[in-house]
Amino acid sequence: HAFRESEIVNPAQRHLMVNLALTFGILAIVLAPAFWFAMVTARRLEQLTAIAEATGKLDLSERKQVHSGIREISKLAGAIDSMRSGLKSFIRYVPEDLLKRYLKPGNIAGLDSETVPVTILFSDIKDFSTVAERIDPMSLVKHLNDYLEILSTEVSRHGGTVDKFIGDSIMALFGAPKSYGDDALNAVRCAQQMMAERAKLNATSVYKIQMGIGLASGRVLAGNMGSADRSNYTVL
């Protein structure tokens, strides 16, 4: 029997094309959701990476919360949110420049210190005990917090670091843990602005505050002091 080549080849090619079309169609249907899922997952991970990198630089500004249907990514997002929330509270107790230092890989806080030139500022309210005896405790705390908030803002604005609050007193450092150059001059300007802000506060408050400020410049030991379990960054 004789057959034309086209009678055999053409039907086979048609079947092959149909089969290929069906195969690619099925692959597209199967792979499209997987591709979309992979893209969404990658986008969520990129968002979390950006948030983690910002947190490492102590950028704790508000960011859009990351949501994911994947349990592991959702747990990771929750852990990062908890860490950021904790840092926002923790930074109220530790100088920001010091915290940035120890957020860098390899930097571990220890009982070490260095000799550096520092200007120390002390401020306190004159006759505070006498004033406190005449004021309701809750009103006293609110007024004292307002007063300390104003003074702390000026310390930060002039490149200083609040070392500690001692009742109605503030001890602030200019030159440690980070120096901005004209530390002594910045401390003097800060003291002047503190007095100006105190006058503004007195003008709008029934409680008139008289404040004293002392400044001292010299080389000090600055670093972590205390015990292996609990230490405090301060100067000696």
Side-chain angles (χ1 to χ4, degrees):
H1 299 276
F3 298 93
R4 295 179 182 274
E5 182 182 0
S6 58
E7 293 179 18
I8 299 174
V9 174
N10 290 350
Q13 288 181 336
R14 284 196 297 271
H15 285 300
L16 176 62
M17 295 305 295
V18 169
N19 288 336
L20 286 175
L22 287 173
T23 301
F24 284 118
I26 292 170
L27 284 174
I29 293 172
V30 172
L31 293 178
F35 181 76
W36 174 84
F37 180 77
M39 292 294 292
V40 170
T41 302
R43 188 157 55 245
R44 296 291 183 269
L45 290 174
E46 287 175 357
Q47 292 172 337
L48 288 176
T49 300
I51 294 174
E53 289 177 345
T55 303
K57 299 175 182 177
L58 220 57
D59 176 7
L60 303 177
S61 57
E62 291 296 327
R63 291 176 176 268
K64 186 177 179 181
Q65 195 170 10
V66 177
H67 298 282
S68 175
I70 302 175
R71 184 181 61 180
E72 288 76 7
I73 294 180
S74 182
K75 289 175 66 176
L76 177 60
I80 291 177
D81 286 341
S82 297
M83 177 178 63
R84 289 172 61 83
S85 178
L87 280 173
K88 286 179 181 179
S89 297
F90 189 62
I91 202 171
R92 297 174 64 88
Y93 299 93
V94 179
E96 183 175 340
D97 290 328
L98 188 65
L99 191 53
K100 285 181 177 178
R101 177 190 300 180
Y102 291 119
L103 280 175
K104 294 179 181 178
N107 285 357
I108 301 175
L111 295 179
D112 52 354
S113 58
E114 57 182 345
T115 304
V116 291
V118 170
T119 296
I120 305 172
L121 180 151
F122 288 96
S123 75
D124 74 332
I125 298 175
K126 295 180 179 179
D127 301 321
F128 178 73
S129 298
T130 302
V131 173
E133 291 171 353
R134 304 195 305 264
I135 303 175
D136 171 71
M138 296 304 296
S139 298
L140 176 64
V141 169
K142 182 182 183 308
H143 191 66
L144 185 59
N145 284 340
D146 292 342
Y147 161 79
L148 294 175
E149 176 71 27
I150 291 172
L151 267 57
S152 300
T153 299
E154 291 305 322
V155 170
S156 298
R157 201 166 67 84
H158 288 85
T161 298
V162 174
D163 180 81
K164 60 177 66 74
F165 297 103
I166 313 168
D168 61 298
S169 304
I170 288 180
M171 176 179 170
L173 311 176
F174 293 80
K178 184 176 181 179
S179 175
Y180 291 91
D182 296 331
D183 298 311
L185 182 58
N186 288 338
V188 173
R189 288 172 174 166
C190 178
Q192 291 175 325
Q193 192 60 39
M194 279 180 165
M195 298 300 287
E197 293 299 325
R198 187 266 313 174
K200 293 179 184 178
L201 185 64
N202 282 350
T204 59
S205 175
V206 295
Y207 308 116
K208 308 304 179 185
I209 293 175
Q210 297 301 317
M211 181 174 63
I213 298 178
L215 295 169
S217 287
R219 298 191 69 82
V220 302
L221 277 175
N224 299 317
M225 302 180 190
S227 67
D229 295 329
R230 180 80 177 264
S231 62
N232 180 41
Y233 183 90
T234 188
V235 298
L236 183 65

